Amino acid sequence: MKNNSHNKKEKRYNKNADRTTWKGKPVKIKLKKSVNVEPGCIILTCNQADHAYVLNLVQQLNQRVLKIKVFDQRQSILHIAVNDIYYVEVVDTKVFVYDRVNSYEYKGKFQSIYQLLKNFSFIQVSRNTIINTEHIYAIKTLPQCHRELTLENGENIIVNRKYKDDIII
């Protein structure tokens, strides 16, 4: 799947659009430790609550905390953070999870990992592939209505025509 050729038709994907500001102003994040808060609990404090923004923030936190159980080539069990996953694909009947440099086997079904990850920054780009939009570097339009995504690790993924409208340029 690797193809590092770049084209002038490529458009840079802005993954941080509208994520570090609230109503046009930068968001300040401060961490205060407290013994009065139960372990594993995070309290958000703000002067006005924008429900959509808070949900987005909670989703980003969950994406960094939630981990998926996978197996490396030696069949050792590892737990990979959702945020570290670049894409997931089915090859033959096996489901593989890819991070920046490694691939791992997921022992469950593709549909089950898709149902879990679609609640985060993942979208389906073909019948057997889902990608993490947080790791899109560039998008290139190809003939026959296909699109090619270049991920931050240089990996290129083809978007099937059926899913092309889910990729916003």
Side-chain angles (χ1 to χ4, degrees):
M1 271 205 161
K2 283 210 180 215
N3 178 0
N4 289 325
S5 64
H6 293 283
N7 186 317
K8 291 183 181 177
K9 290 184 182 178
E10 229 172 57
K11 294 188 180 172
R12 179 75 166 90
Y13 184 76
N14 186 359
K15 66 182 175 201
N16 295 318
D18 209 27
R19 291 210 174 160
T20 56
T21 63
W22 185 69
K23 294 191 175 181
K25 296 182 181 177
V27 173
K28 293 180 184 176
I29 298 175
K30 296 179 182 179
L31 176 64
K32 290 184 181 179
K33 294 182 181 180
S34 174
V35 293
N36 299 327
V37 177
E38 64 185 84
C41 181
I42 297 174
I43 298 174
L44 301 174
T45 307
C46 60
N47 64 352
Q48 295 179 13
D50 179 326
H51 187 68
Y53 187 79
V54 171
L55 284 177
N56 186 9
L57 182 58
V58 169
Q59 178 186 11
Q60 288 180 49
L61 288 170
N62 280 335
Q63 193 162 331
R64 283 161 177 73
V65 173
L66 181 68
K67 296 186 183 250
I68 304 291
K69 180 176 155 183
V70 295
F71 296 82
D72 66 9
Q73 283 76 12
R74 296 174 303 192
Q75 293 302 305
S76 299
I77 297 173
L78 302 169
H79 291 88
I80 184 170
V82 168
N83 190 55
D84 293 335
I85 298 172
Y86 276 56
Y87 68 101
V88 177
E89 75 175 339
V90 177
V91 177
D92 296 325
T93 59
K94 294 184 178 183
V95 179
F96 292 95
V97 174
Y98 299 85
D99 67 9
R100 190 173 63 76
V101 294
N102 297 310
S103 64
Y104 310 94
E105 185 177 351
Y106 175 75
K107 296 289 186 176
K109 301 222 178 267
F110 179 74
Q111 195 59 29
S112 66
I113 197 169
Y114 172 66
Q115 289 303 318
L116 177 66
L117 296 177
K118 75 176 187 176
N119 296 318
F120 297 100
S121 300
F122 287 79
I123 58 170
Q124 192 162 3
V125 296
S126 71
R127 188 174 55 82
N128 60 355
T129 307
I130 55 176
I131 59 111
N132 185 345
T133 60
E134 295 291 317
H135 295 296
I136 296 174
Y137 175 76
I139 302 171
K140 182 169 49 172
T141 302
L142 299 175
Q144 300 176 353
C145 299
H146 287 88
R147 295 216 167 107
E148 180 180 69
L149 305 177
T150 302
L151 303 180
E152 293 170 338
N153 63 354
E155 190 86 21
N156 289 327
I157 307 286
I158 300 295
V159 178
N160 186 292
R161 282 184 292 217
K162 178 179 177 183
Y163 303 96
K164 72 176 177 60
D165 292 335
D166 295 337
I167 305 295
I168 300 169
I169 296 180

